Amino acid sequence: MPLRRIALTMLLTAATTIAASPAHAAPRQVPAEDREVVFTVEGTRTYGTLHVPAHRSGQRLPGALLLPGSGPTDRNGDQPPVLTPGTLAKVASALSEDKIITLRFDKYGSGRTGLGAYAGHPEDIDYPAFVRQATAAYTLLLRQPETDRRAVSVIGHSEGAMTALMIADEVRPRPAGLALLQPQALRLLDLVALQLHDQIAKATEAGQFTPEQRRVIDAAVDRAIGDLRAHRPVDTTDLPAPVAQLFQSFQGVNRRFLDTDDAIYPPDVARRLHPGTRVLLTCGTNDPQVPCATTDALTEALRRAHTTGPGRVVLQGIDHNLRDAAHPDVLAANALAALRGFTSPWRHGR
């Protein structure tokens, strides 16, 4: 064979080998996946959903831990069968579109988790137990092979926002950001009093109470709050039946949780945040549970802590579950825009 033909054959063979080399193959596309996860916290098996968006094989994605609000609220943000807004499930879906991994879980008293180790003595559960549960979930999210550990945030709704503040200075690495959606920004009983006074005022406007009855009820609510904090028996004589039942429930198995939650003033926690932490705080103008004015002190505390990011975003026409009246089945467009503004640094890095 002539020398020239040998050289040409060698070049063609080399080119074919390079083209077939795995180093030059296109990365494999991994489809989106919901994984049922289980992690144990202080003897309780906690159940959750890890959503991994579609991505390239080997790609590391930003992550977000989603924390639900108060009461027996499950991983989706629901208290079935009565309250099913699906707030956290909808947040997870929105974040998936931006290639963000999410972990949401059934906290104590909800979903598959139930009361767990506290089933035989529910009166012993306190608010710090929920904080420890959230801390364990954050660690689980960090350990996922698809998670970019440098870009993990915590997104809390209502009471979950206070929990996000609580774990932010405890976990390592610290969260890259916090989204406080319609947050509990006052001590718990102060917020309860505010909500009750607002409901009584509206009932009076509707003709259900006279102005004098309103004055008596408002005074009775304030006394009941003081009695609870002083660990005195609560006199419910002047309270409407539903309000009296609420205060009676506070004195039962929920007492320990109430005391430990009410002991926390969220602005004090916010002042301890690491300077430079990216923070979003939302409040809705149609949210009677967390009126925007209740977040003033928390907003100022975040400023004094030298946090960065969007800060407080007032959502016009939005209720507590991030919906507007015209579209009650989906997250409102301005709520989605606020979330996307919060996550933009990590999305733009991909």
Side-chain angles (χ1 to χ4, degrees):
M1 180 183 293
L3 182 60
R4 185 174 177 181
R5 183 175 295 179
I6 293 173
L8 181 59
T9 302
M10 292 176 64
L11 286 172
L12 288 173
T13 302
T16 303
T17 302
I18 291 172
S21 170
H24 292 266
R28 180 174 62 89
Q29 285 297 119
V30 181
E33 178 186 13
D34 274 333
R35 298 177 194 159
E36 182 78 1
V37 296
V38 184
F39 56 100
T40 301
V41 186
E42 299 171 351
T44 294
R45 287 171 62 83
T46 300
Y47 295 84
T49 299
L50 181 83
H51 179 77
V52 182
H55 62 285
R56 300 185 308 275
S57 177
Q59 183 181 9
R60 293 294 176 267
L61 303 175
L65 173 64
L66 309 185
L67 300 177
S70 61
T73 306
D74 65 21
R75 72 184 84 180
N76 294 326
D78 294 338
Q79 294 183 20
V82 179
L83 298 174
T84 55
T87 307
L88 291 191
K90 292 170 183 174
V91 168
S93 178
L95 294 177
S96 176
E97 294 178 7
D98 290 324
K99 305 276 187 206
I100 297 174
I101 299 172
T102 55
L103 173 60
R104 60 193 199 273
F105 62 93
D106 294 332
K107 66 175 187 175
Y108 288 115
S110 75
R112 289 190 66 190
T113 301
L115 285 171
Y118 291 96
H121 46 101
E123 68 279 0
D124 288 345
I125 197 166
D126 56 13
Y127 176 66
F130 292 85
V131 176
R132 294 190 295 271
Q133 194 180 39
T135 299
Y138 181 85
T139 300
L140 178 67
L141 177 57
L142 283 175
R143 290 176 177 171
Q144 299 307 305
E146 299 91 349
T147 300
D148 180 352
R149 293 169 57 90
R150 303 163 301 172
V152 176
S153 56
V154 183
I155 299 176
H157 177 243
S158 195
E159 183 185 86
M162 186 171 79
T163 304
L165 286 170
M166 293 292 292
I167 73 171
D169 197 45
E170 301 294 327
V171 296
R172 292 296 183 274
R174 293 185 178 93
L178 302 176
L180 313 175
L181 308 178
Q182 325 299 74
Q184 178 184 327
L186 303 176
R187 292 178 65 187
L188 177 58
L189 286 176
D190 289 339
L191 187 59
V192 168
L194 184 149
Q195 293 172 351
L196 289 175
H197 287 315
D198 179 67
Q199 292 170 22
I200 293 161
K202 289 177 178 175
T204 302
E205 291 173 5
Q208 297 176 33
F209 302 121
T210 67
E212 176 59 21
Q213 287 173 323
R214 173 186 174 183
R215 185 192 66 77
V216 171
I217 295 170
D218 280 341
V221 166
D222 291 338
R223 284 197 305 274
I225 296 291
D227 288 341
L228 278 174
R229 284 179 169 159
H231 286 253
R232 295 189 296 261
V234 176
D235 181 3
T236 61
T237 304
D238 293 327
L239 295 172
V243 180
Q245 290 169 8
L246 175 67
F247 280 102
Q248 287 164 357
S249 72
F250 286 160
Q251 299 172 85
V253 296
N254 298 313
R255 186 62 201 244
R256 182 176 176 85
F257 176 85
L258 177 79
D259 287 345
T260 53
D261 189 308
D262 185 59
I264 297 165
Y265 182 51
D268 287 344
V269 183
R271 292 187 190 98
R272 302 197 297 265
L273 288 177
H274 187 68
T277 302
R278 185 171 179 79
V279 178
L280 166 68
L281 187 161
T282 67
C283 66
T285 58
N286 282 4
D287 182 356
Q289 293 173 258
V290 180
C292 282
T294 67
T295 67
D296 288 348
L298 179 55
T299 301
E300 175 61 16
L302 293 170
R303 186 189 68 80
R304 290 179 176 272
H306 303 290
T307 60
T308 63
R312 180 164 65 178
V313 176
V314 177
L315 302 175
Q316 295 296 326
I318 301 308
D319 68 11
H320 191 61
N321 289 304
L322 306 174
R323 305 169 300 187
D324 62 44
H327 308 92
D329 296 327
V330 297
L331 295 182
N334 50 357
L336 287 172
L339 270 173
R340 297 204 81 212
F342 168 68
T343 62
S344 61
W346 308 298
R347 290 188 291 107
H348 292 163
R350 315 238 98 55

